[in-house]
Amino acid sequence: MDIDAYFARIGYTGPREATLAVLEALHLAHATHIPFENLDVQLGRPIAIDLASIEAKLVQGGRGGYCFEQNTLLAAALNELGFGVTSLAARVRLGATRVLPQTHMLLAVDVGGERWLADVGFGTGGLLMPLRLRSGEVARQFSWTFRLREEGNHLALESLRGGTWQDIYVFSLDPRYPVDFEMANHYVSTHPASRFVQTLAVQRQSPGACYLLRNRELTCIRGDQTTVTEIIDDEDLLAVLKDTFGLALPPGTRFKCLQGG
C-alpha cells in the first residue's frame, strides 16, 4: 500500500514501529479522520473491498466507507509496519431486533505479547482506541466507555450508555479470510433486508462528540447531551455531508432510500 498517502489522509506524522503507542495513535487518527459511510450503496454503486479499490476511494478519493473497507485499510497499514494482524467477524447486536449474520469485520492485533481489539469500522459509537482482548476490563476512551464480556466461546463488546451496559457486537477469535468478507459485503450492500440498503448511514466521531446521520436525521452526541436536527432539503443534506463529515458530492446527487421508492 501507499503508506505515506495513508498517513497523510489520517494526519499521522509519528513513529513507524510496531509498538502499542503507535497502534493507539494510528487507531485514533484513522477513527477520527475517515468517516463511516454507505453512500455508494445508496448511489447504486458496487462496493469493492480489495485494497487497491479501498485506497483509491478512502485515501486518494477522500471518501469514507464501512467496516470491510475501513478495517482492511487499517490492517494493511499495520501489516506494513510489522504488526501481527488477524481478521475476525462479528454479529452486530446494537439496535438489532433479531439475530443478524456475521457481517461486521474487526481485527485482533498482536503487540508487546498481548492481543488487542482494533476496529475503526463500526458505525455507531465504536472504538476510538484499541481495546485489550481481556474480559471484564473497563476502558475509558475520552467520552466513551467500553468493556468485553465472555459469552461462552465468544466475546461481547459492550458500551456504557446512559448508565447501562449495551451490547455492540459479539465475536469469536476464529480467523476470517477475504472470501468470508466478500460474501458478507455482497449481503450488506445488496440484500433488501440489509440496513445499509434500507438506510443512508454516515458517522464521524471525535474524542468529545459523535455525529450520526441516518437518512435525513442528524444526531450530535456530546457526553450526556444529544441534539437531533431534521434535514428536509436535498441540497441541505449535501451541505451537511460536506461541512459535518467532509464528504463532497456533486450538486444534484440523490440517494435511493430517500426518493420515496
Side-chain angles (χ1 to χ4, degrees):
M1 68 178 300
D2 186 342
I3 194 75
D4 292 325
Y6 170 69
F7 284 163
R9 174 73 172 95
I10 65 173
Y12 179 76
T13 58
R16 301 189 178 197
E17 293 84 28
T19 66
L20 177 58
V22 170
L23 173 62
E24 290 177 333
L26 283 177
H27 196 291
L28 179 62
H30 185 131
T32 55
H33 281 80
I34 304 182
F36 177 98
E37 49 111 326
N38 71 336
L39 300 182
D40 280 353
V41 175
Q42 293 302 327
L43 292 171
R45 301 170 183 168
I47 306 295
I49 58 172
D50 62 283
L51 181 59
S53 297
I54 293 170
E55 285 188 276
K57 178 181 175 182
L58 275 65
V59 178
Q60 285 85 23
R63 286 281 305 281
Y66 53 41
C67 65
F68 308 120
E69 299 165 289
Q70 301 267 13
N71 285 322
T72 295
L73 184 60
L74 177 62
L78 294 176
N79 279 319
E80 190 86 6
L81 299 183
F83 289 92
V85 183
T86 303
S87 298
L88 308 175
R91 299 182 193 275
V92 175
R93 285 182 172 172
L94 187 64
T97 57
R98 58 187 175 90
V99 176
L100 298 177
Q102 293 182 338
T103 56
H104 181 63
M105 178 185 181
L106 57 150
L107 307 172
V109 183
D110 296 299
V111 56
E114 290 191 287
R115 300 196 90 188
W116 295 77
L117 168 61
D119 184 1
V120 293
F122 192 78
T124 308
L127 298 175
L128 283 171
M129 306 281 285
L131 185 68
R132 197 191 323 266
L133 275 168
R134 182 182 297 170
S135 178
E137 185 175 289
V138 176
R140 179 76 174 177
Q141 298 186 358
F142 305 99
S143 299
W144 326 102
T145 303
F146 302 94
R147 73 179 182 187
L148 292 170
R149 186 190 78 250
E150 287 187 12
E151 189 174 294
N153 295 324
H154 292 71
L155 289 167
L157 176 65
E158 299 179 307
S159 175
L160 187 62
R161 302 180 181 212
T164 302
W165 288 103
Q166 297 183 29
D167 283 1
I168 297 179
Y169 52 70
V170 62
F171 63 98
S172 77
L173 298 178
D174 296 332
R176 304 294 174 167
Y177 303 96
V179 66
D180 298 317
F181 299 122
E182 288 286 351
M183 293 281 289
N185 180 56
H186 179 69
Y187 172 85
V188 300
S189 63
T190 66
H191 197 283
S194 166
R195 294 178 180 181
F196 293 157
V197 172
Q198 298 174 351
T199 306
L200 180 76
V202 187
Q203 175 181 313
R204 181 174 67 83
Q205 195 151 334
S206 72
C210 180
Y211 296 90
L212 306 168
L213 179 66
R214 297 295 181 264
N215 291 336
R216 299 182 185 276
E217 184 176 276
L218 176 65
T219 301
C220 177
I221 303 171
R222 294 181 182 272
D224 294 330
Q225 295 184 337
T226 299
T227 59
V228 179
T229 304
E230 292 291 335
I231 304 166
I232 305 301
D233 183 80
D234 288 327
E235 294 306 319
D236 287 344
L237 178 62
L238 295 180
V240 167
L241 288 172
K242 180 180 179 181
D243 298 339
T244 302
F245 300 99
L247 299 169
L249 289 97
T253 299
R254 299 293 181 262
F255 303 104
K256 292 193 298 183
C257 70
L258 305 181
Q259 301 311 305

